[in-house]
C-alpha cells in the first residue's frame, strides 16, 4: 500500500495544477472583455460607413436606369428611322409588282413594310402621320398588284375544257402547283385585309372568270342537245340522248366548283355569293335547254319522246342526291323544276297513250286497216311502248304512284311534284305497273274488235283479230313483258286466239257442205246404177265444191298470216278437216258412172288440193 506521504504529495501536485488553471481562466476572461470592446467599436464604424455609402448606391441605380432608357430610346429611334427609311428602299420593288415565278420575296417585302407601318403607328408620333400614310398607300399598291396577279392566275386555271376532259378528269387541278400557289395567294390577301386596311373583294372577278369558264365549257353540250332534239321512239337507244351527258357534265363541274371555291374563297358569305354568280349562267342555259327539249317532247308523240324517262332517271339516281349535298352552298331549285316539267310531260303521255289505245283520238277507227289482215300498227306501237316503259320501270313506277290506280284514264292538272322517290312503295309501284299494262291490253282488245268491223268480209276480220291476238300473246310470253303479265293474261289471249281459229274454220263451211255424203247405200254398198237426178246431184256437188274452193282460195291468198307457226297451224287445221272429207267423197264417186266426162267435174286430186291449201297466207301472195 502507498504510504501517507505519497498520497499527500499527489494532493499537493493537483492543488498546484488547479491554481494554475484558475489563473489562466482569469487571463482569458480579461482578453474576452477586450475583444468585445473592439467588436463594439467595429459595429459603430460600420453603421457610419453604411450611412455614408447608401446615398451613393441609390444614385448609381438611378444612373443605371437612365442609361438603359437612353439605350432603349436610341434603339427605338433607330428602329423608327429605319422604318421611315423603308418606303424609299421598297417603293420601287413594291410598285414594280411581284415576280410571277417567285412571289415569296414580294410577300416578304410587303410583310416588312406592314411591320414598319405598325411600328411607327404604335408610337403615335404626329410627325410620322405623313410617313404612315405613305406606307399604307404603298401597301395598297402592293395589294393591287397581288389582286391583279390573282386574277391572272385564276384565269390561267380557268381555260374552257371539253366533255371528255370533264367526264374523265379526277379533279387533278386541285392538286396542281398552280392551284397551290393560287390558294396561298388568296389566303395571304384575305388575312392581310384587316392589317393593311385595304379590302379586296374577289367576288366580282371570280364570277367574271369562273362563270365564263363554266359557260364556255358546257355551251357545246347545249348546242349538241339542240342539234339532236328529235329522238325517234322506236329507234332511240336507252342512254343515247345528248342531254344526259350535258346533265352529267354540269353536275360534275358544279361539284368541282364548290371544292375549288372552298380553296380560294375563305369568307363563307363571299364564297356563297361568288358561287351563285359563277354557276347561275351555266345553270340558266341548262334549264333553258331542258325546257326547250321538254317542249319538243310535248310536240312529239309519246312513242317518240321516251328519252324523257332517261333524263328523269339520270336526275333522280345521280344528280338529285349530289345536288342535295350542295344545298348549303348553292340553290339549284331551277333544275329540279325543269325535271318536274319532264315528269309532267311523262304523266300526260300516259294519259295520251291510253286514249290512243282506246281509239278516242282517232277520227275514223277504220283508217289504216291493212288489206291483208296483218297486225295493226296500233298493236305494234302499243306493245313496243310497253316494252320501253319496262326499261325505265324504276322511273315509271313512282310516276304511276303519283297518278294513282286508274289515274291514267282521266286527265289531271298536277300543280306540283314532291320527291316521290323517297315515298315510293316498291310493291305498290310494281302492282300499278302491272295494272297499267293489263289495262292497256284490255283497252286495245276492245279497240281491235271495233276496228275489225271495218272489214266487209267476216273472214278477213277473223284473220285480222287472229294475227293481232296471236302477236299480243307471243309478246307477253317473251321478255321483257313476261315479267309483268301473269298466267291470267296469257290464258285470256290464248282463248281469244282459239276463238278466232274456230271462227276462221267456219269460212270453209260452204266447201265442207258440198262434201257431205249424198249416196244411197243398199246392202252396205254404193248403188251401181243411179238415176239421172242422183247423177246430177253428184255433178252439182263437185261443181259447187270447185267453185267455192276456187273463190275462197283466190280471196284468202290475198290475206296474210306473218307468223310462221300460226300460219302452219291454220293451214293444218284446214287440211285436217277438208282433205279427208274431199278424199272420201272423191273415192266414192270417181269410179262410178255419175258422168261420162269425170275430168269436167273432178278438178282436184288429193296432192293438188293439199298443195293449194299450203299456198294460203303466203307473205308473197
Amino acid at each position: 500500500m502507498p504510504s501517507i506521504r505519497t498520497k499527500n504529495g499527489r494532493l499537493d501536485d493537483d492543488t498546484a495544477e488547479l491554481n494554475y488553471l484558475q489563473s489562466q481562466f482569469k487571463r482569458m476572461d480579461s482578453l474576452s472583455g477586450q475583444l468585445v470592446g473592439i467588436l463594439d467599436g467595429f459595429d459603430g464604424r460600420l453603421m457610419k460607413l453604411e450611412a455614408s455609402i447608401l446615398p451613393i448606391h441609390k444614385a448609381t441605380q438611378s444612373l443605371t436606369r437612365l442609361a438603359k432608357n437612353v439605350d432603349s430610346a436610341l434603339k427605338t429611334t433607330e428602329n423608327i428611322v429605319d422604318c421611315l427609311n423603308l418606303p424609299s428602299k421598297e417603293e420601287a420593288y413594291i410598285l414594280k409588282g411581284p415576280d410571277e415565278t417567285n412571289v415569296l420575296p414580294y410577300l416578304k417585302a410587303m410583310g416588312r413594310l406592314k411591320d414598319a407601318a405598325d411600328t411607327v403607328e404604335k408610337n403615335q408620333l404626329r410627325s410620322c402621320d405623313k410617313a404612315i400614310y405613305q406606307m399604307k398607300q404603298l401597301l395598297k399598291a402592293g395589294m393591287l398588284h397581288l389582286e391583279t396577279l390573282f386574277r391572272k392566275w385564276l384565269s390561267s386555271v380557268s381555260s374552257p375544257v371539253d366533255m371528255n376532259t370533264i367526264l374523265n378528269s379526277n379533279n387533278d387541278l386541285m392538286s396542281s402547283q398552280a392551284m397551290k400557289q393560287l390558294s396561298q395567294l388568296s389566303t395571304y390577301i384575305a388575312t392581310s385585309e384587316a392589317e393593311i386596311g385595304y379590302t379586296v373583294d374577289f367576288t366580282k372577278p371570280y364570277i367574271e372568270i369562273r362563270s365564263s369558264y363554266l359557260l364556255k365549257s358546257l355551251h357545246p353540250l347545249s348546242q349538241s342537245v339542240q342539234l339532236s332534239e328529235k329522238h325517234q321512239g322506236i329507234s332511240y337507244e336507252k342512254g343515247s340522248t345528248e342531254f344526259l351527258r350535258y346533265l352529267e357534265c354540269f353536275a360534275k363541274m358544279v361539284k368541282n366548283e364548290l371544292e375549288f371555291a372552298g380553296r380560294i374563297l375563305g369568307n363563307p358569305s363571299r364564297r356563297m355569293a361568288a358561287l351563285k354568280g359563277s354557276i347561275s349562267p351555266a345553270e340558266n342555259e341548262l334549264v333553258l335547254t331542258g325546257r326547250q327539249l321538254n317542249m319538243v317532247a310535248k310536240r312529239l308523240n309519246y312513242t317518240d319522246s321516251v328519252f324523257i324517262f332517261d333524263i328523269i332517271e339520270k336526275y333522280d339516281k345521280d344528280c338529285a342526291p349530289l345536288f342535295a349535298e350542295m344545298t348549303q352552298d348553292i340553290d339549284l331549285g331551277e333544275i329540279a323544276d325543269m325535271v318536274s316539267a319532264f315528269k309532267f310531260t311523262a304523266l300526260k303521255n300516259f294519259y295520251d297513250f291510253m286514249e290512243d289505245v282506246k281509239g278516242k283520238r282517232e277520227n275514223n277507227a277504220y283508217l289504216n286497216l291493212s288489206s291483208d289482215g296483218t297486225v295493226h300498227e296500233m298493236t305494234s306501237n302499243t306493245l313496243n311502248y310497253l316494252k320501253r316503259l319496262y326499261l325505265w320501270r324504276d322511273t315509271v313506277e313512282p310516276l304511276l304512284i303519283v297518278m294513282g290506280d286508274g289515274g291514267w284514264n282521266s286527265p289531271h292538272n298536277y300543280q306540283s311534284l314532291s320527291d316521290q322517290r323517297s315515298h315510293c312503295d316498291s310493291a305498290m309501284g310494281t302492282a300499278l305497273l302491272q295494272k297499267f299494262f293489263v289495262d292497256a291490253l284490255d283497252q286495245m282488245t276492245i279497240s281491235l274488235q271495233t276496228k275489225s268491223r271495218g272489214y266487209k268480209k267476216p273472214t278477213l276480220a277473223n284473220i285480222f283479230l287472229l294475227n293481232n291476238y296471236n302477236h299480243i300473246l307471243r309478246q307477253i310470253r317473251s321478255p321483257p313483258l313476261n315479267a309483268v303479265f301473269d298466267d291470267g293474261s296469257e290464258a285470256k289471249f290464248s282463248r281469244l286466239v282459239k276463238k278466232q281459229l274456230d271462227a276462221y274454220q267456219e269460212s270453209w263451211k260452204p266447201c265442207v257442205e258440198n262434201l257431205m255424203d249424198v249416196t244411197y247405200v243398199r246392202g252396205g254398198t254404193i248403188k251401181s246404177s243411179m238415176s239421172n237426178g242422183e247423177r246430177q246431184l253428184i255433178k252439182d256437188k263437185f261443181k259447187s265444191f270447185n267453185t267455192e274452193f276456187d273463190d275462197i282460195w283466190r280471196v284468202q291468198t290475198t290475206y296474210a298470216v306473218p307468223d310462221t307457226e300460226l300460219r302452219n297451224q291454220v293451214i293444218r287445221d284446214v287440211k285436217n278437216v277438208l282433205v279427208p272429207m274431199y278424199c272420201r267423197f272423191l273415192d266414192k264417186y270417181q269410179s262410178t258412172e255419175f258422168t261420162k266426162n269425170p275430168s269436167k267435174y273432178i278438178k282436184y286430186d288429193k296432192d293438188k288440193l293439199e298443195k293449194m291449201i299450203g299456198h294460203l297466207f303466203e307473205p308473197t301472195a
Side-chain angles (χ1 to χ4, degrees), residues 120-240:
V120 176
E121 192 171 21
K122 184 172 61 178
N123 286 278
Q124 299 180 350
L125 300 174
R126 293 184 179 181
S127 59
C128 297
D129 289 346
K130 184 177 180 180
I132 294 172
Y133 175 77
Q134 290 176 342
M135 283 187 279
K136 288 190 175 183
Q137 289 300 110
L138 194 58
L139 285 171
K140 289 180 181 180
M143 291 290 282
L144 284 172
H145 280 296
L146 293 177
E147 182 181 358
T148 302
L149 180 61
F150 177 85
R151 287 172 178 260
K152 186 173 182 179
W153 281 0
L154 183 62
S155 298
S156 69
V157 296
S158 302
S159 300
V161 293
D162 58 22
M163 180 185 71
N164 292 328
T165 303
I166 298 172
L167 296 178
N168 298 328
S169 67
N170 295 319
N171 206 11
D172 296 332
L173 172 63
M174 301 306 294
S175 59
S176 67
Q177 183 62 28
M179 184 64 196
K180 292 179 180 179
Q181 291 179 337
L182 186 62
S183 178
Q184 291 171 354
L185 180 59
S186 65
T187 302
Y188 174 83
I189 294 175
T191 54
S192 301
E193 288 179 353
E195 299 174 0
I196 295 176
Y198 176 73
T199 302
V200 180
D201 189 358
F202 289 134
T203 305
K204 186 175 180 180
Y206 185 93
I207 291 174
E208 291 175 356
I209 296 170
R210 296 301 289 182
S211 64
S212 176
Y213 158 71
L214 293 172
L215 196 59
K216 288 181 179 180
S217 297
L218 294 169
H219 183 66
L221 290 168
S222 173
Q223 289 183 317
S224 178
V225 172
Q226 294 173 16
L227 292 174
S228 59
E229 283 183 337
K230 293 184 178 180
H231 304 268
Q232 297 302 320
I234 295 176
S235 60
Y236 175 76
E237 295 182 5
K238 185 177 182 182
S240 62

Side-chain angles (χ1 to χ4, degrees), residues 295-314:
M295 293 301 295
V296 172
K298 287 182 177 181
R299 292 194 298 268
L300 293 173
N301 187 277
Y302 53 83
T303 58
D304 299 328
S305 60
V306 291
F307 61 87
I308 65 175
F309 294 111
D310 254 349
I311 296 171
I312 297 171
E313 181 180 74
K314 180 68 176 178

Side-chain angles (χ1 to χ4, degrees), residues 452-468:
S452 70
R453 300 187 188 105
Y455 289 108
K456 295 180 180 179
K457 296 180 179 180
T459 303
L460 184 55
N462 293 143
I463 294 298
F464 170 77
L465 291 175
L466 178 62
N467 280 323
N468 281 274

Side-chain angles (χ1 to χ4, degrees), residues 94 106-114 139 142-143 188 196:
I94 295 294
Y106 193 84
L107 296 180
K108 289 182 177 180
M110 290 282 291
R112 290 192 297 271
L113 191 61
K114 183 172 62 176
L139 285 171
M143 291 290 282
Y188 174 83
I196 295 176

Side-chain angles (χ1 to χ4, degrees), residues 260-324:
F260 183 89
R263 292 278 298 275
I264 300 303
L265 305 174
N267 187 298
S269 60
R270 290 183 185 176
R271 182 171 62 249
M272 291 181 66
L275 281 170
K276 181 179 179 181
S278 63
I279 294 173
S280 289
E283 179 188 4
N284 292 338
E285 185 173 48
L286 173 72
V287 171
L288 178 61
T289 304
R291 294 191 183 280
Q292 290 174 343
L293 187 58
N294 189 47
M295 293 301 295
V296 172
K298 287 182 177 181
R299 292 194 298 268
L300 293 173
N301 187 277
Y302 53 83
T303 58
D304 299 328
S305 60
V306 291
F307 61 87
I308 65 175
F309 294 111
D310 254 349
I311 296 171
I312 297 171
E313 181 180 74
K314 180 68 176 178
Y315 178 81
D316 284 344
K317 285 187 175 180
D318 299 333
C319 299
L322 178 62
F323 292 162

Side-chain angles (χ1 to χ4, degrees), residues 268-488:
S269 60
R270 290 183 185 176
R271 182 171 62 249
M272 291 181 66
L275 281 170
K276 181 179 179 181
S278 63
I279 294 173
S280 289
E283 179 188 4
N284 292 338
E285 185 173 48
L286 173 72
V287 171
L288 178 61
T289 304
R291 294 191 183 280
Q292 290 174 343
L293 187 58
N294 189 47
M295 293 301 295
V296 172
K298 287 182 177 181
R299 292 194 298 268
L300 293 173
N301 187 277
Y302 53 83
T303 58
D304 299 328
S305 60
V306 291
F307 61 87
I308 65 175
F309 294 111
D310 254 349
I311 296 171
I312 297 171
E313 181 180 74
K314 180 68 176 178
Y315 178 81
D316 284 344
K317 285 187 175 180
D318 299 333
C319 299
L322 178 62
F323 292 162
E325 297 175 2
M326 305 176 184
T327 52
Q328 293 183 349
D329 298 300
I330 53 176
D331 180 13
L332 297 173
E334 288 291 325
I335 299 177
D337 293 342
M338 173 198 70
V339 176
S340 293
F342 280 113
K343 293 180 180 180
F344 292 142
T345 302
L347 295 175
K348 183 178 181 300
N349 283 350
F350 293 150
Y351 171 73
D352 291 344
F353 163 69
M354 199 60 72
E355 291 295 287
D356 272 356
V357 172
K358 296 175 184 177
K360 292 186 177 181
R361 301 207 303 172
E362 287 183 334
N363 295 327
N364 187 346
Y366 305 143
L367 289 176
N368 301 323
L369 287 175
S370 60
S371 61
D372 57 3
T374 53
V375 176
H376 196 272
E377 181 183 9
M378 178 194 69
T379 303
S380 299
N381 290 343
T382 299
L383 292 168
N384 285 332
Y385 188 65
L386 293 180
K387 290 178 184 178
R388 287 307 180 97
L389 293 184
Y390 186 77
L391 287 177
W392 288 285
R393 57 190 177 279
D394 291 339
T395 299
V396 171
E397 289 177 1
L399 293 173
L400 292 177
I401 291 177
V402 172
M403 299 189 82
D405 189 358
W408 48 79
N409 289 314
S410 57
H412 290 278
N413 183 21
Y414 298 98
Q415 299 297 326
S416 63
L417 278 174
S418 60
D419 183 12
Q420 76 276 8
R421 299 192 66 86
S422 60
H423 306 289
C424 178
D425 185 329
S426 59
M428 180 188 298
T430 302
L432 283 177
L433 183 70
Q434 184 184 42
K435 182 72 180 294
F436 178 75
F437 279 30
V438 170
D439 197 4
L441 292 194
D442 288 345
Q443 297 297 337
M444 186 169 65
T445 301
I446 297 172
S447 296
L448 288 172
Q449 292 171 354
T450 301
K451 292 180 184 298
S452 70
R453 300 187 188 105
Y455 289 108
K456 295 180 180 179
K457 296 180 179 180
T459 303
L460 184 55
N462 293 143
I463 294 298
F464 170 77
L465 291 175
L466 178 62
N467 280 323
N468 281 274
Y469 292 156
N470 183 71
H471 182 67
I472 295 171
L473 178 60
R474 288 194 173 278
Q475 292 297 315
I476 66 176
R477 282 176 172 173
S478 305
L481 296 183
N482 64 334
V484 179
F485 293 99
D486 55 17
D487 295 339

